[in-house]
Amino acid sequence: FVLYRPLTQTVWFWSLNGLLGPDPSAFHAANLFAFVLCVVLAWAIARRVTGSPLAGVATALLYATAPAHAASVAWAAAFTILGTALAVLSLVWCWLRIDGAWRGPACAALQALALLCSEHAAMAPGLLLALALFGPRREPLAASARALAPSALLVAGYLALKLWWLPAEFAARPRLAYGVDLAPLAWLGRLGGYLAASVEGVA
């Protein structure tokens, strides 16, 4: 995990252990605090996008009560999910709040931070593009593209490195269950597994 999710695995736990010692309750409290920050950011983003305080509160409540969050708060190792969400939500908030020449570099810095949290942050430029096209700010598309370009280039470089590094890594360690697979039938099988797991608790 040192190369894979360095901030949310290595740095996060090393820092917590150095500051708070090996007390597991402190680790859970840190996860809970990070989750509260995510809820606040969800409220602020929704309020900014919709212009409605009520919509902001409703979004924050929906976010806070989503069942999957219970695991990321209670399970200390799931900070890979929680930390990445915090970084991506901070990036979205930055995109909505900052104007001018600092917008692109500030978002790129948060994008780099988010990618060091986990690979899930690669989808963040898509969120920013959706906000640029359909969000509350009516600005020229060229200005949004210039601000978005540094983050998008970071993600493109990150994905290129992953595609170069992962096949060699898994070829060296073939016993790993997680790897790059280009077989369409295997993709469909995994997708079916995810869909089944998603509706299993509802049925």
Side-chain angles (χ1 to χ4, degrees):
F1 282 121
V2 173
L3 294 175
Y4 195 41
R5 298 168 178 169
L7 290 186
T8 53
Q9 285 290 317
T10 306
V11 174
W12 173 252
F13 291 109
W14 179 83
S15 302
L16 282 183
N17 189 62
L19 290 170
L20 305 171
D23 179 11
S25 61
F27 285 59
H28 291 304
N31 271 25
L32 183 60
F33 179 71
F35 179 69
V36 169
L37 289 180
C38 286
V39 173
V40 171
L41 282 168
W43 165 79
I45 290 167
R47 188 176 186 276
R48 180 81 172 176
V49 168
T50 63
S52 166
L54 184 61
V57 171
T59 302
L61 287 173
L62 285 171
Y63 185 91
T65 56
H69 290 313
S72 64
V73 174
W75 186 25
F79 190 76
T80 53
I81 299 167
L82 196 54
T84 307
L86 183 59
V88 170
L89 289 170
S90 299
L91 171 59
V92 172
W93 175 242
C94 176
W95 176 265
L96 290 170
R97 291 293 297 176
I98 296 180
D99 292 309
W102 285 102
R103 189 184 193 192
C107 288
L110 284 170
Q111 178 67 72
L113 188 74
L115 286 172
L116 290 173
C117 288
S118 87
E119 69 284 0
H120 303 102
M123 42 68 71
L127 289 176
L128 301 187
L129 179 62
L131 283 171
L133 294 174
F134 309 111
R137 300 173 66 144
R138 301 298 179 217
E139 58 184 299
L141 190 57
S144 294
R146 281 193 301 271
L148 183 58
S151 296
L153 288 172
L154 268 174
V155 170
Y158 174 86
L159 293 177
L161 282 171
K162 284 285 186 181
L163 290 174
W164 169 78
W165 177 75
L166 280 177
E169 178 70 11
F170 290 113
R173 291 192 265 175
R175 291 187 179 180
L176 292 176
Y178 180 67
V180 178
D181 186 353
L182 301 179
L185 290 178
W187 285 27
L188 287 174
R190 287 192 198 97
L191 180 59
Y194 286 133
L195 291 174
S198 299
V199 299
E200 183 180 356
V202 179

